[in-house]
């Protein structure tokens, strides 16, 4: 804070010690994370690495993108421009698998015990991707976490062999559930596809749907049939609204 900067050196050190302790306490505290967007939770280092690869291929200009990724204090419109960039960087099956794996690992490292990840299933013909194959890539990522027990639907999906001595008590365990997001840019039929997919994937950790995306885009009437359909099917729903 400004206050800290103006304080004498000794006091500043004390404050930063206190801040450090508070941060450590927050990390150690067992937590529940209910609002993580998959593509909003990607490590900066991974984004930079992916941007570098696409820069080398001439798809983007790395230097421009680097500044955008590292910028802090973004406005809401800037956030949505950034998501469009993230989607260019992340949307192929292997990258989706990679980011899902890393995101779960990062939350577990911060002692999140129960994690709900929401993500927008994407059709991308150029990559041979359907909403279903996108979600399969996400689930594959969750199952490929090696050093943590990831529990989807109360079943242990990823678990390296326990030691012969009867189990390694130091292994972390995280319960992960998925919400399928409808992007406000989508059509009624695409939104209905997402609800059907959520129903199909109930036994793979999918526990609900979400309406998200740029709040200044789209019309409520477009998604209403999908939300009503979800209600009929008994699928729990979360909604982003009123942010502008
Ligand atoms: C800032 N507040 C917000 N309001 C509304 N939607 C948001 C959001 N933050 C993120 N998203 C939604 O999450 C997507 C990225 O993750 P996935 O591609 O789904 O994994 C964004 O494109 C947007 O649709």
């Amino acid at each position: 804070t400004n206050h800290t900067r103006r304080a004498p050196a000794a006091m500043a050190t004390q404050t930063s010690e206190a801040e450090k302790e508070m941060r450590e306490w927050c990390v150690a505290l067992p937590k529940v994370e209910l609002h993580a967007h998959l593509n909003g939770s990607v490590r900066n280092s991974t984004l930079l690495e992916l941007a570098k690869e696409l820069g080398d291929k001439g798809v983007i200009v790395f230097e421009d993108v680097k500044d955008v990724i590292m910028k802090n204090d973004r406005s809401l419109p800037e956030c949505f421009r950034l998501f469009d960039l993230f989607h260019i960087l992340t949307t192929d099956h292997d990258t989706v698998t990679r980011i899902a794996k890393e995101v779960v690992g990062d939350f577990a490292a911060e002692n999140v015990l129960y994690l709900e990840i929401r993500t927008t299933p994407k059709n991308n013909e150029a990559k041979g991707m359907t909403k279903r194959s996108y979600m399969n890539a996400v689930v594959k990522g969750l199952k490929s976490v090696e050093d943590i027990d990831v529990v989807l639907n109360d079943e242990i999906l990823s678990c390296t062999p326990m030691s012969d001595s009867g189990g390694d008590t130091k292994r972390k365990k995280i319960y992960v559930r998925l919400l399928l997001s409808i992007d406000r840019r989508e059509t009624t039929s695409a939104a209905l596809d997402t609800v059907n997919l959520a129903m199909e994937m109930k036994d793979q950790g999918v526990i609900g749907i979400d309406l998200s995306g740029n709040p200044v885009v789209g019309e409520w009437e477009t998604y209403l049939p999908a939300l009503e359909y979800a209600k009929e099917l008994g699928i729990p729903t979360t909604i982003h609204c009123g942010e502008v």
Side-chain angles (χ1 to χ4, degrees):
T1 64
N2 287 336
H3 190 179
T4 315
R5 256 180 253 131
R6 267 184 257 115
M11 197 193 265
T13 312
Q14 224 177 34
T15 310
S16 69
E17 265 309 302
E19 274 177 13
K20 199 172 146 237
E21 267 176 39
M22 174 60 91
R23 193 151 296 156
E24 282 168 6
W25 182 81
C26 289
V27 170
L29 197 68
K31 291 173 286 290
V32 165
E33 166 61 67
L34 298 179
H35 196 151
H37 293 268
L38 179 61
N39 279 279
S41 308
V42 185
R43 293 175 189 165
N44 277 350
S45 58
T46 297
L47 289 170
L48 290 174
E49 191 187 316
L50 296 169
K52 182 87 178 49
E53 279 170 25
L54 286 190
D56 290 347
K57 287 184 191 156
V59 180
I60 55 169
V61 178
F62 175 69
E63 282 308 318
D64 296 353
V65 169
K66 183 179 154 207
D67 293 341
V68 179
I69 291 172
M70 298 312 286
K71 185 176 186 264
N72 286 319
D73 297 331
R74 298 183 185 97
S75 66
L76 203 60
E78 279 175 335
C79 285
F80 288 101
R81 283 201 292 278
L82 195 65
F83 287 131
D84 286 343
L85 169 64
F86 289 180
H87 292 148
I88 293 170
L89 299 179
T90 59
T91 302
D92 70 71
H93 292 107
D94 288 347
T95 309
V96 170
T97 298
R98 171 185 174 174
I99 63 172
K101 179 180 177 182
E102 289 180 356
V103 165
V104 171
D106 289 350
F107 278 114
E110 291 186 355
N111 288 309
V112 169
L113 303 187
Y114 175 86
L115 168 64
E116 288 183 2
I117 303 179
R118 56 191 72 202
T119 193
T120 320
K122 295 162 185 82
N123 278 320
N124 187 336
E125 268 178 43
K127 304 268 179 191
M129 181 182 278
T130 62
K131 285 183 183 241
R132 176 74 209 210
S133 72
Y134 173 91
M135 284 313 302
N136 288 345
V138 172
V139 171
K140 188 175 167 191
L142 305 183
K143 289 182 181 178
S144 62
V145 179
E146 281 146 13
D147 45 355
I148 299 157
D149 292 337
V150 176
V151 187
L152 275 170
N153 271 354
D154 298 325
E155 179 194 341
I156 296 179
L157 289 181
S158 165
C159 171
T160 51
M162 295 289 176
S163 67
D164 290 335
S165 58
D168 177 355
T169 50
K170 287 201 194 97
R171 283 176 67 87
K172 289 196 181 207
K173 181 174 177 179
I174 184 167
Y175 292 84
V176 180
R177 300 290 182 265
L178 296 164
L179 300 177
L180 305 196
S181 301
I182 295 166
D183 188 318
R184 295 178 62 102
R185 288 179 291 198
E186 290 186 280
T187 61
T188 300
S189 100
L192 286 166
D193 287 347
T194 297
V195 177
N196 278 322
L197 185 56
M199 199 63 192
E200 259 173 65
M201 297 187 73
K202 263 173 87 173
D203 60 350
Q204 285 172 281
V206 175
I207 52 156
I209 60 158
D210 168 51
L211 176 67
S212 54
N214 192 336
V216 301
V217 169
E219 299 293 330
W220 180 246
E221 285 71 25
T222 311
Y223 342 106
L224 193 56
L227 300 179
E228 282 174 344
Y229 181 44
K231 193 174 175 186
E232 266 171 45
L233 295 173
I235 300 176
T237 300
T238 64
I239 289 180
H240 290 70
C241 69
E243 287 182 72
V244 282

